[in-house]
Amino acid sequence: AVSIVAVAVAMAAQLSFWRTVVHGKVVNVVLPTALILAAVVLLTYCHATADDVNDNSSRVFLGLIVIQMLPLLFLELRLTSCPDPEAMLARFGTKVLLLHGCFMILRVAAWPLMEVGIGWSNLVGVIAVLVVLHVGFRFKWKLDTFLEHIDVVCLILLATSGAIVTEVIDYEASTSLLEHVIFTASSYIEVLGFVPAVWMVHQSAKKNDDVTRTGGVDLTRQAVFFFVFLVGFYIFEDLVTSWKIRHLAGIAAIGHFVHFLMLTHFASFMLLNISSGMKPLS
């Protein structure tokens, strides 16, 4: 009994540490901003020290990393004042998952032609998205449900159209246009992954809406499913990839690591808000 109490006290102390030090009001602004600035510095350094001006793959990647991190910063700043982050997550979580599932399905479909990221982790990621949507979010696999998320379809079409235009302009006859379009489209869709969340949180704050809870839905369970998937996938997408390319593209490897730090900070921020009874951290 004494050991159980000791463990409970230790866990409470750790929670208090994370709430006051890692996710204090000032740190919640300073740390994510510092991570974005670090990514910008990496992008600038990569551009300034590039040996081949025609090889811009690392610069494009780091630019996309910076763009992908901005919505996470916005969400942390806005959700700090949200009275019920669980309910807000329930509103945008499905859309974020659908976008992640889409770019992973695209990668899996292209696997016989080319490997984008880590092939088997994309396949596992697709299965995980389906499980989280079905079990965690009670997603109904009907046409009417998909029509409710027409904004996700529009973002996918926008990303794909942008990828086609980008690759047609830069197309070289010695390479496969299809492979380049698939790679770029999957990257653009991933970058847009949190755009629905940004839009919904912004609109809610703009209209001063109170986010209402849906009866019969376990919102805490949704949050746990959502962030376990998100962090689990990016362990492979960022950390494992960073380790694999550390000798070939060191700057890009650091970019992966910085992005993972940003993502995990956002995930822990949300989970701590939720575990504290939906009272914004201060």
Side-chain angles (χ1 to χ4, degrees):
V2 175
S3 61
I4 294 175
V5 172
V7 170
V9 170
M11 290 178 65
Q14 286 292 325
L15 181 61
S16 177
F17 169 81
W18 280 92
R19 283 175 55 83
T20 56
V21 178
V22 181
H23 287 287
K25 187 174 183 179
V26 175
V27 178
N28 269 341
V29 177
V30 173
L31 182 56
T33 303
L35 290 172
I36 291 177
L37 290 176
V40 172
V41 170
L42 290 173
L43 173 60
T44 305
Y45 176 81
C46 184
H47 180 76
T49 60
D51 295 326
D52 184 0
V53 294
N54 295 318
D55 183 13
N56 61 353
S57 56
S58 293
R59 282 171 285 176
V60 170
F61 166 75
L62 290 170
L64 293 176
I65 283 290
V66 172
I67 296 172
Q68 194 174 1
M69 292 169 68
L70 290 174
L72 298 178
L73 174 61
F74 175 87
L75 290 173
E76 284 204 33
L77 296 178
R78 285 290 189 175
L79 288 172
T80 300
S81 58
C82 179
D84 195 344
E86 275 183 316
M88 181 58 72
L89 174 62
R91 291 179 63 182
F92 68 70
T94 300
K95 298 179 186 295
V96 173
L97 290 169
L98 287 172
L99 283 167
H100 278 73
C102 180
F103 79 73
M104 282 186 282
I105 289 174
L106 198 58
R107 291 180 178 184
V108 171
W111 200 359
L113 297 174
M114 62 184 299
E115 185 177 25
V116 183
I118 303 174
W120 63 265
S121 72
N122 291 322
L123 180 59
V124 173
V126 171
I127 297 172
V129 166
L130 296 176
V131 170
V132 173
L133 283 171
H134 186 73
V135 179
F137 283 75
R138 308 292 185 187
F139 188 79
K140 304 299 182 183
W141 303 94
K142 300 184 299 183
L143 179 60
D144 291 345
T145 307
F146 283 100
L147 290 176
E148 293 175 5
H149 302 286
I150 192 67
D151 52 339
V152 173
V153 177
C154 292
L155 287 174
I156 293 169
L157 293 176
L158 177 65
T160 305
S161 301
I164 292 172
V165 172
T166 300
E167 294 306 328
V168 167
I169 292 174
D170 295 335
Y171 179 61
E172 297 179 4
S174 59
T175 59
S176 170
L177 178 61
L178 178 60
E179 291 183 11
H180 281 273
V181 169
I182 290 173
F183 176 82
T184 305
S186 67
S187 298
Y188 286 0
I189 295 171
E190 184 178 8
V191 167
L192 296 175
F194 281 92
V195 167
V198 169
W199 177 253
M200 296 182 76
V201 170
H202 173 68
Q203 287 297 105
S204 178
K206 185 177 179 180
K207 296 177 181 178
N208 199 25
D209 290 342
D210 291 328
V211 183
T212 57
R213 293 178 163 235
T214 305
V217 178
D218 188 342
L219 299 183
T220 302
R221 175 176 170 167
Q222 284 187 348
V224 171
F225 268 91
F226 181 83
F227 286 111
V228 166
F229 158 74
L230 206 63
V231 174
F233 173 72
Y234 280 101
I235 284 175
F236 294 97
E237 181 76 358
D238 282 332
L239 293 188
V240 175
T241 300
S242 176
W243 179 259
K244 289 176 65 177
I245 68 173
R246 68 191 188 282
H247 296 306
L248 299 174
I251 300 299
I254 298 173
H256 273 291
F257 185 70
V258 170
H259 176 261
F260 184 76
L261 289 178
M262 185 76 171
L263 185 80
T264 51
H265 187 269
F266 171 68
S268 60
F269 161 79
M270 284 293 294
L271 290 173
L272 281 173
N273 264 291
I274 291 168
S275 68
S276 64
M278 289 67 69
K279 295 177 181 179
L281 298 171
S282 59

